[in-house]
Amino acid sequence: MVSVEITPYLDINLDSEMWVCSTCNGDLIECSSNYKIGCSVAERDPSEIHHSEIDTDYKFSPDSNWCKIIEFYCPHCGAMIENEYLPLGHPITHDIDIDVDQLRKIVSEDPGDLRIKS
Amino acid sequence: MLDYGAIQISMREWIRTEPATDHEIEQASKIQPGMYEVYSNKLDVALDEARTVFVRTGVSAFLRAGDLVVGLHNAKGDLVCASCGTYIHAAIAQLPIKYIIDLYIKGDSNVKVKPGDIFYTNEALVGGLHNPDQIAMMPIFFEGELIAWSSAAVHQQETGAIEPGGMPQTATSRHDEGMRLTPIKIAENYEIRDDLMDMMVNFISRAPQMQEIDVRARCTATDKLRQRVQELAQEIGPDCVHGLFRKMIDAAESGARARISSWTDGVYRSVAFVDTTGNDETLLKVALAVHKKGDSIHLDFTGTSPECEGSYNTYGHGVAAFLATYLYPYVFHDLPVSTGTLTPFTFEVPDGSLLNAGHEKAVCNCVYLGRSVISLCFDAFTRLLYSTDPSRAVAAPSSHSGGGSFKGINNIGWPISESFSFTLNTDGQGARHDKDGMNAHGFFYSPWGKTNNLEDFEEHGIFLGLTRRHFNDAHGFGKYRGGVGTQNMNVVISGPVEVTSRGKGSRIPHDNGVFGGYASTSLPGISIIGSDALDLLENEVDFPVSVRELVVDRSISGDYKFERINRSNRTLETGDIWITLSSGGGGFGDPLERDPNSVLSDLNNDLISNWTARNVYHVHIKNGKLDLNKTKELRSNELQSRLHRGTNYNDFSNNWSKKSPPIPVSTF
C-alpha cells in the first residue's frame, strides 16, 4: 500500500485510489471525487462556535440567517477533516482536486518532499 | 484623449516582465561570480536606505508606520527589487512607469522624460489600487542614457472625496473619490514645481500640510535611490547595470519556477463572501481556482460576482497586487521582490466582475475586496502546499477588521485627516501547521509596518486612548489557533471630530481556518454616544477596559450603538467613544486536538473565554485547574456527537440546497 499525505487529515491511497482518513485509516471515497462526498456532514449554527455576549442585530458572531458552518467529519472516527462558512444553500466547495496520475508518476520517479506512507 | 479600455488592458499586460533584449542578455552573461551577490546586495542596501529616508521625512500615520515601498525598476519599467513596507505596491508600481514610457517616451507627446524629472500619480487605473495610493517615479539617467527608474509609494489618508479619509463608504462612482491624477511631472530639473504642489494641496484641503510634506517625502525617497544607482553606474558602468538588473529579474523568475515545480499538480479552490458594498448590505462572492501544473500557476476567478454599485470593486491589475501580498511574505519570502517572481502566474479575471470593474466604478475600498482575494490565496495555496511543504501552510490572517480614519483639528491648529492605525496594524496572523498564529502580528498588507505608539496618536489632542489590548474569542479556533486581534477604545477629548470606519464581515466572516480550524468571527461596529467616560476618569471611577465586558456591564453610561463594522462618516462630540476592533486569524486543524494546556494558557491570558474552552475545545477546567481525565471524556463524547450529528453528503445536500440567505448571492 502506498499512501500520500495530502492534508493533516487526508491521505490518498494510490493502490486503492481512495481518499483515506489519516486519523483512523478509514476509506472515504474515490480520490477522483470531492473527498467531502465521503464525509459525514453537519450544519452548525455559528453561535455554537462563536460566543456573543450581546444579541443585537450586529454582534460578536456571524449572522445565522446569512451563513452556517458546514462541518465535514470522518464517518468512521469523527475527526473533523474540514469546515466551511457558507451562505445558506450555497454549493459545497470542491477544494482539493489532485492530478492523481501525475502524483502517481512523481511518487514512482522522485517523490521529493512528498510524505509517503507504506 | 484617454482611452480607458485600452489602459485597463495594458495594465494587465504590463504586470508581466518585458522581453529581455539581446543587449541585456549579453551583459547578464558577463556578470562574474561574486559580482552578482555584491552588487545586488548593494542595491538592496540602497533601497533600504531610501525607505528609511522616506519614513523619516513623512508625517502621516501610514507613512510613519512604514506601510510603504521603494522600488527600483529597469529602463523598461520592470521591478528589479524593492524595499518593503507593503508588498501590495511592489507588483504594480511598475505600471504607471510603463504608462509614462508608453506615452511620453515611445508616444508622440509634448511631455518628455528628462534627467531631474519626477512624475507623480494617484490614478488607480494606471497602476495604483485606489486613489489614496500616491506614487512618485523618477527616471534615472547616466551620461544621457535612461538606465533605471525609482519609485516610492504610500497610502495617503486624505483624497478630497465626498467623505474624509480617502475611502468613503458612500462612494458609488469614481466621481465620489476626489483627486485622481494621471501621471504628472511634479518635478523638473530636481525641483518640485510650486504650481502643481499648490494644485494638489488645493484638492487635499482637509489636510493640506500632510499632503505637501508626504509628497516631498515620496520625491525625496526616489531621489535618494537615484543618487545611489548613478553611483553604481559610475562604479561598474551602465552596461553592467543593465546586465545586473536582467540577472536579478531572471533569478527571481527561475527561483519561483523551481519552487512551484516542487508542488503537487492539481486544482485548488476557495470561495469568500463580502457582505457590504460600502453603503449597503449585499452578498457578493469571490471565487478562486488555482490551477497548478509544472512550473506555472493559472489563477481563475470565474464565478466572482459582477461589479457592485458601491466601492468594494477593484481594477483587474489589482488581483496581481493582492496575490503578491500573499506570496512575498509567506511563499516567496526568500526570493527577490521582483516582477520576475510573478512571471510564472497567469490570471483569468472576468470582465465586469468585482475584480475587473469598469473605469467609472468606485474602487476606493478595493483593499477590503482585496482582503478577500488574499484570504482565498491563503486558503487555496495552503491546500496546494501542505503535501510537499507544510512549513509554508498557513491559515488566512484577519481580513475584515475595522480600521478607519478621523478628521479634525490637531493641537497645533492644523486640519488633519488620519488613520486609526493601531487597529489596522494589529490584526491576528493565521495559524501555522505547527504553531499558533502570532497575536496582533500587524497589518497583513504590510508585514514590515508597525503600529504607531499611543502617544503619537494622542499627541493630536483629539482622542484619549482608553483601551488597547488583545481582543478575546475573535480569532479562529483550532489545533493551532489564529493569532489574536485587538480592541481599541478611544474617547473624544476635543470635539467635534469626523470619523469613519471600514471593513466587512459583520454578517459572514471569511478569514477561513484550514483543515478543520474555524474562521475568525464577525465583528460589530460599536460606539457610545454621550458617554460619561471623561467624568469617570476625572473622578477616578474605574470601569472595564474589555469591550466584551463593557457592553454587558455598561458602567460607562451613554447610548450604545451596534452597527456594521464599516460605518460611514459621522461627527463625534467631546465625550463620545469610538471603538474599533481587529479580529484574529483563522485556525489550523481540529480544535479537539488542541493541547489542553494551551487552552488553559489561553484562558489565563484572557485570549479565550470559559465558554470557548468548554464548548469549542471541550476542555474541563475547574477553579483554574485542568482535569485531563474529564477532558478526555468530554472530547470522546464530542466525537460521538459528531457522528450522530452528521448525515451522509447526499442527504445533507438535498436539505441544504433548499435553503437561501436573506439576500441572494450576486451573480452574472
Side-chain angles (χ1 to χ4, degrees), chain B residues 62 88 167 272 274 286 312 322 325 355 365-378 396-403 423-427 442-446 502-504 510-511 581-583:
Chain B
F62 265 85
I88 196 160
M167 294 165 66
V274 179
V286 187
Y312 284 56
F322 301 134
T325 304
L355 301 177
N365 282 290
C366 67
V367 286
Y368 280 94
L369 184 65
R371 285 171 171 237
S372 300
V373 175
I374 294 165
S375 286
L376 295 184
C377 288
F378 274 93
S398 163
S399 79
H400 50 256
S401 302
T423 303
L424 205 60
N425 283 283
T426 54
D427 283 333
F443 182 28
F444 76 85
Y445 272 127
S446 178
R502 304 185 273 268
K504 59 183 165 45
H510 60 73
D511 304 330
L581 303 170
S582 69
S583 63

Side-chain angles (χ1 to χ4, degrees), chain A residues 41 58 63 71 73 82, chain B residues 281 383 507 518 645 647:
Chain A
V41 189
Y58 297 99
D63 190 323
E71 297 187 344
Y73 312 127
E82 195 48 278
Chain B
E281 291 197 317
R383 287 171 172 78
R507 298 291 190 192
Y518 289 109
R645 190 189 298 142
T647 58

Side-chain angles (χ1 to χ4, degrees), chain B residues 190-258:
Chain B
Y190 306 98
E191 282 197 45
I192 292 173
R193 287 178 50 159
D194 292 338
D195 55 347
L196 294 182
M197 181 66 89
D198 286 348
M199 177 195 74
M200 275 199 280
V201 166
N202 186 42
F203 271 120
I204 315 296
S205 56
R206 289 190 185 114
Q209 290 92 344
M210 296 175 81
Q211 175 68 22
E212 176 159 357
I213 293 169
D214 290 347
V215 170
R216 293 185 184 280
R218 291 179 185 88
C219 293
T220 302
T222 59
D223 193 53
K224 174 52 68 180
L225 184 58
R226 186 267 309 167
Q227 292 173 33
R228 296 303 185 209
V229 173
Q230 287 177 332
E231 287 169 10
L232 181 68
Q234 184 72 48
E235 182 181 346
I236 64 175
D239 285 343
C240 191
V241 170
H242 289 304
L244 180 65
F245 287 176
R246 186 74 253 159
K247 191 155 183 158
M248 291 173 73
I249 291 173
D250 289 348
E253 180 179 347
S254 59
R257 288 194 185 280

Side-chain angles (χ1 to χ4, degrees), chain B residues 138-368:
Chain B
M138 187 171 199
I140 302 174
F141 287 82
F142 184 78
E143 294 178 347
E145 179 195 1
L146 177 65
I147 59 168
W149 292 78
S150 58
S151 68
V154 68
H155 179 115
Q156 194 77 26
Q157 197 63 45
E158 185 52 51
T159 60
I162 52 170
E163 293 178 35
M167 294 165 66
Q169 294 298 308
T170 52
T172 57
S173 82
R174 63 160 40 229
H175 310 290
D176 297 330
E177 295 182 320
M179 180 178 83
R180 296 182 64 150
L181 302 173
T182 54
I184 58 171
K185 192 189 290 189
I186 193 168
E188 289 179 307
N189 199 25
Y190 306 98
E191 282 197 45
I192 292 173
R193 287 178 50 159
D194 292 338
D195 55 347
L196 294 182
M197 181 66 89
D198 286 348
M199 177 195 74
M200 275 199 280
V201 166
N202 186 42
F203 271 120
I204 315 296
S205 56
R206 289 190 185 114
Q209 290 92 344
M210 296 175 81
Q211 175 68 22
E212 176 159 357
I213 293 169
D214 290 347
V215 170
R216 293 185 184 280
R218 291 179 185 88
C219 293
T220 302
T222 59
D223 193 53
K224 174 52 68 180
L225 184 58
R226 186 267 309 167
Q227 292 173 33
R228 296 303 185 209
V229 173
Q230 287 177 332
E231 287 169 10
L232 181 68
Q234 184 72 48
E235 182 181 346
I236 64 175
D239 285 343
C240 191
V241 170
H242 289 304
L244 180 65
F245 287 176
R246 186 74 253 159
K247 191 155 183 158
M248 291 173 73
I249 291 173
D250 289 348
E253 180 179 347
S254 59
R257 288 194 185 280
R259 181 150 305 153
I260 292 168
S261 294
S262 70
W263 302 337
T264 303
D265 284 4
V267 184
Y268 304 85
R269 301 180 184 88
S270 186
V271 291
F273 299 90
V274 179
D275 55 15
T276 179
T277 62
N279 209 20
D280 294 313
E281 291 197 317
T282 186
L283 193 44
L284 308 170
K285 177 178 172 180
V286 187
L288 170 63
V290 174
H291 297 256
K292 188 273 167 183
K293 190 170 181 61
D295 66 358
S296 301
I297 287 183
H298 180 65
L299 280 78
D300 183 358
F301 291 91
T302 300
T304 297
S305 295
E307 58 192 13
C308 73
E309 294 306 312
S311 55
Y312 284 56
N313 298 296
T314 190
Y315 298 136
H317 59 266
V319 170
F322 301 134
L323 172 69
T325 304
Y326 163 69
L327 286 178
Y328 286 130
Y330 283 92
V331 182
F332 291 161
H333 63 82
D334 47 356
L335 294 176
V337 180
S338 157
T339 184
T341 49
L342 291 182
T343 303
F345 295 86
T346 54
F347 303 91
E348 188 166 338
V349 191
D351 285 340
S353 69
L354 290 172
L355 301 177
N356 197 1
H359 72 273
E360 281 288 315
K361 288 295 174 185
V363 296
C364 54
N365 282 290
C366 67
V367 286
Y368 280 94

Side-chain angles (χ1 to χ4, degrees), chain B residues 26 54 67 78 164 273 294 391 398 477 491 510 540 565 580 594:
Chain B
E26 181 191 350
F54 196 178
D67 298 342
D78 288 326
F273 299 90
S391 69
S398 163
F477 312 119
V491 60
H510 60 73
E540 298 186 3
I565 198 164
T580 53
R594 183 162 180 77

Side-chain angles (χ1 to χ4, degrees), chain A residues 62-110:
Chain A
D63 190 323
S64 60
N65 294 316
W66 285 56
C67 76
K68 301 289 185 187
I69 304 173
I70 313 301
E71 297 187 344
F72 303 91
Y73 312 127
C74 169
H76 310 292
C77 69
M80 181 151 61
I81 292 169
E82 195 48 278
N83 65 58
E84 282 193 82
Y85 291 58
L86 290 175
L88 278 70
H90 190 278
I92 302 298
T93 308
H94 185 179
D95 55 7
I96 302 178
D97 192 358
I98 298 275
D99 182 339
V100 179
D101 291 339
Q102 182 67 10
L103 181 67
R104 188 191 306 282
K105 184 165 178 279
I106 288 172
V107 167
S108 65
E109 293 175 357
D110 176 13

